[in-house]
Amino acid sequence: MADTPDQKKSDHRSERKRRLLPPPAWWPLPACALLGLAAGGAYGVLKAPEYAATSYVVAVPNETTEPATALGFAQAYGRIATSSSTLAYAQPRAGISAQRLRTQVRAETSPDSPMIAITGTSKSPSEAADIANAVADALSLSSNQAAKNTGVQLLLFNQAVAPSDPASPSAAISGAVGLCAGGLLGGLWLLARPARRKEQGTGRPAVEEYASLPAQGEHAETKEKESVR
């Protein structure tokens, strides 16, 4: 049996209603997660890999110096490892400017060991090792000039070598981080949106209640009528 024109119109209206239905309330969660995944993956692919190499120097006390003194000097030398004077010594061997060298080297110390870790970073593995070794040698030379007065000298414990794997995160890790960050933002959006609706809903009854209250003039007129009666 063929459909009547009225039935066709009703079917067409129902189809349009189905098409115009709003998206589900949880749509920001997958949308933000996918955006974060795409952004993190693109960052990992487009960003050049960065390599890190570390050399170690150790503070050694003289025969008349206590080990605790060497530990204290290791902390002090770790602070001046990236100073302007140390980087000026290291610049010729590193082969880069002192300003660039300052941004590509860091020094770390341990409170329990008189060891100083000097890490160089670069887009080239060999350059990262050269930076770390240059700063380590410069720190040892500058500190050993005062070894007679301090009773502590710095010795190279382990020389940095060119790394085979980059220290920067891969595209997969960057994408996973972006996915988690996007999902977190989408979840926060879902938590914040019902709160706004609730505030709007609580404001309506207050307006209706205020509108239902009698005006001050009407209330006074009612009282006068009652007194006359």
Side-chain angles (χ1 to χ4, degrees):
M1 183 177 180
D3 294 337
T4 60
D6 294 338
Q7 290 178 349
K8 291 181 179 180
K9 289 182 180 179
S10 61
D11 294 340
H12 183 65
R13 290 175 182 175
S14 60
E15 289 180 2
R16 287 184 60 187
K17 288 181 179 179
R18 284 196 296 267
R19 292 176 183 176
L20 297 177
L21 285 177
W26 46 266
W27 72 266
L29 184 60
C32 293
L34 290 176
L35 287 176
L37 176 62
Y43 176 80
V45 171
L46 297 177
K47 188 179 184 300
E50 190 175 64
Y51 296 87
T54 305
S55 60
Y56 297 90
V57 293
V58 59
V60 180
N62 295 338
E63 296 178 357
T64 59
T65 305
E66 297 181 358
T69 304
L71 182 60
F73 273 101
Q75 302 292 327
Y77 286 133
R79 293 187 181 93
I80 66 172
T82 56
S83 63
S84 300
S85 59
T86 305
L87 297 181
Y89 278 109
Q91 180 184 357
R93 180 177 176 182
I96 59 177
S97 62
Q99 184 178 3
R100 182 183 168 189
L101 186 61
R102 186 185 300 275
T103 61
Q104 294 182 220
V105 67
R106 66 178 184 272
E108 298 174 347
T109 58
S110 173
D112 303 324
S113 174
M115 189 83 68
I116 304 173
I118 300 174
T119 303
T121 58
S122 176
K123 295 179 181 179
S124 170
S126 58
E127 188 179 59
D130 292 340
I131 290 173
N133 292 327
V135 175
D137 291 342
L139 182 62
S140 300
L141 290 174
S142 61
S143 62
N144 291 340
Q145 293 177 358
K148 294 181 179 179
N149 299 325
T150 60
V152 176
Q153 61 178 347
L154 292 181
L155 299 178
L156 183 62
F157 183 79
N158 188 21
Q159 193 174 16
V161 295
S164 58
D165 297 326
S168 56
S170 61
I173 297 177
S174 299
V177 173
L179 177 66
C180 295
L184 179 61
L185 291 176
L188 292 176
W189 171 264
L190 292 178
L191 292 175
R193 189 171 60 175
R196 290 198 299 268
R197 288 181 177 179
K198 186 176 181 181
E199 290 177 358
Q200 293 176 0
T202 54
R204 292 176 181 174
V207 175
E208 294 177 358
E209 183 180 357
Y210 179 79
S212 62
L213 293 175
Q216 186 176 2
E218 295 178 359
H219 187 63
E221 185 179 355
T222 305
K223 283 188 175 181
E224 291 179 358
K225 290 181 180 180
E226 290 178 355
S227 60
V228 172
R229 292 178 181 176

